[in-house]
Amino acid sequence: MAERDTPIVAFVGGSGITPVYSNAKAALATTERPIQLVYANRDLRSIIFSDALALLAESSGGRLAVHHHIDGVSGFLSAAECATVVGDRADADFYVCGPGPFMDTVEAGLSPPFSCEGGSLRDLHGPDRERLDHDEGQQRPVTGGGG
């Protein structure tokens, strides 16, 4: 997790929550950064860490906002919805973790000015960052731009 004071925006699909949950807990404990988490799942039963996420958000003093996107109710998350979530937070650090098609959709919603290639957990903020990319996690440099 980058040592900055800008917001964190994370888009997560399914079991991709595992590394992002850990990073969110660390960021809440060691920084004052606000975190927007968009967590997509097939259905309510598929949500991993549901109670833990609710408790973490509740105890964050308003710094963690969790939005659950349920594909079975709302359809798959669209690129336009991703762009809407980002809003005016172009200076944020962006993390994406989940199935390939999900990550492609998120990346499309963030482009331009954001871009990157391959990987499972990506920091899309800037070229000096690293991305975790391990089947659902190893590290690689990221390309792209942002604030």
Side-chain angles (χ1 to χ4, degrees):
M1 187 91 15
E3 291 187 30
R4 300 162 32 95
D5 60 359
T6 56
I8 296 169
V9 179
F11 292 89
V12 180
S15 64
I17 189 63
T18 305
V20 174
Y21 174 71
S22 177
N23 285 339
K25 282 181 19 180
L28 288 169
T30 62
T31 75
E32 295 299 315
R33 299 173 77 178
I35 303 169
Q36 172 70 47
L37 173 64
V38 178
Y39 186 17
N41 282 282
R42 276 179 261 152
D43 52 46
L44 291 172
R45 293 184 329 263
S46 300
I47 299 172
I48 301 170
F49 301 134
S50 179
D51 293 340
L53 281 168
L55 183 61
L56 193 60
E58 185 179 306
S59 65
S60 73
R63 291 190 306 130
L64 174 61
V66 179
H67 170 75
H68 290 281
H69 181 90
I70 306 302
D71 297 342
V73 174
S74 306
F76 292 124
L77 190 67
S78 71
E81 289 170 304
C82 295
T84 298
V85 166
V86 171
D88 63 355
R89 291 178 279 218
D91 65 335
D93 285 325
F94 295 91
Y95 294 87
V96 182
C97 194
F102 171 81
M103 293 190 302
D104 292 343
T105 297
V106 172
E107 186 177 339
L110 299 181
S111 296
F114 310 100
S115 67
C116 62
E117 58 191 25
S120 289
L121 176 59
R122 309 179 213 185
D123 178 338
L124 302 179
H125 187 272
D128 59 338
R129 305 281 184 253
E130 290 184 335
R131 130 173 83 238
L132 291 177
D133 167 60
H134 59 259
D135 313 286
E136 307 227 284
Q138 300 137 10
Q139 291 195 351
R140 272 190 217 167
V142 166
T143 60

